[in-house]
Amino acid sequence: SQANFMRVIVQEASMDPSIGVELLCVVKAVLKKIKRRVLVGDKVLVGSIDWIDKRGAIENVFKRNSEMLDPPVANVDHLLVLFSMDQPKIEPYSLTRFLVEAESTGIPLTLALNKTELVSQEEIKAWKSRLRSWAYEPIFCSIESKRGLDTLQFIMREQTSVLVGPSGVGKSSLINALRGNKHILGAVEERNSFDPQILGSKWYEEQRVGEVSVRSGRGKHTTRHVSLLPLPDGGYLADTPGFNQPSLIKVTKNSLAHHFPEIRKMLKDSEPANCAFNNCLHLGEPGCLVKGDWERYPYYLQLLDEIKIREEFQ
Ligand code: GDP
Ligand code: ZN
């Protein structure tokens, strides 16, 4: 359902001092009519601006670079895949599913491994070289001991990031650690109603508007709202993590191989850089460049089976 209000940060304006100002905006009915949903992270054109009351109306949405549905955020340019060294331990097949799901969005990703203070230096070294053989360079961090948090902020600077990973690895803890300074508020926020206790009685009227639209049947009070938290070194992090259970819904049997960097590397290092068959599934076909001598090949086969079954029943 379409939110009634969106908080918009001014990035370009005819009046220079207005850069960085937050406007509370309604979404113009015309956008709703053509089912153009405004997402958090969208770049929008705002009109009817009242600079004193800091109000405006969203009139149009600019073309998106990317669009995530879980959580609903536009223009995400970085995924941070978070797992933990312990509690829970890394389960390689589960990690592979998350990495394949993340790769399938086409958005660049970083892998981070949390809770390093719970394990030995040897264990960290072992995972480092194991993941290097998967063609990933993980960042080791610990929210508990603050290890690696600077590196993570540096990687996320000037980008809009979304955190993904299974439950229990520390996603909420990381978001809260980076939220850090209490004065930082969500940069762009989607809400169906405003809590007058948080925002002051000035917003009471808007809250009633929200209730009216509920009665008219245009949607319920969805509790799900995403905010982009501004990070200290620049950039934004969505305060809601993404896919808890990778569905692999966008992955087809022919695209699966592209989501394994090991396969990408094997193909790139060959000349010519493709197997004899155009739609080779790398199952030992004649002229196939992909050998079976790498750790995750069995996972590739397992995922391929799963996707084949799904495609047969579609
Ligand atoms: P989420 O499900 O991924 O959002 O995980 P949470 O942020 O809820 O964290 C799950 C548990 O792990 C909580 O009890 C956290 O306090 C704990 N936790 C988070 N980061 C660390 C860490 O660096 N070290 C340790 N030992 N525990 C952590
Ligand atoms: Zn092949």
Side-chain angles (χ1 to χ4, degrees), residues 137-157:
E137 233 10 279
I139 290 165
F140 290 92
C141 66
S142 162
I143 295 150
E144 181 79 21
S145 74
K146 299 203 159 59
R147 170 181 178 164
L149 296 188
D150 286 354
T151 313
L152 288 177
Q153 278 183 34
F154 182 76
I155 282 167
M156 292 191 278
R157 77 197 183 284

Side-chain angles (χ1 to χ4, degrees), residues 111-160:
L111 173 61
L113 302 173
N114 187 30
K115 309 196 192 185
T116 53
E117 92 288 352
L118 294 177
V119 298
S120 67
Q121 207 52 41
E122 283 68 47
E123 211 166 324
I124 293 172
K125 265 199 197 135
W127 267 109
K128 192 178 178 142
S129 66
R130 188 169 175 184
L131 289 165
R132 192 168 278 169
S133 81
W134 298 14
Y136 289 102
E137 233 10 279
I139 290 165
F140 290 92
C141 66
S142 162
I143 295 150
E144 181 79 21
S145 74
K146 299 203 159 59
R147 170 181 178 164
L149 296 188
D150 286 354
T151 313
L152 288 177
Q153 278 183 34
F154 182 76
I155 282 167
M156 292 191 278
R157 77 197 183 284
E158 286 160 26
Q159 311 198 64
T160 297

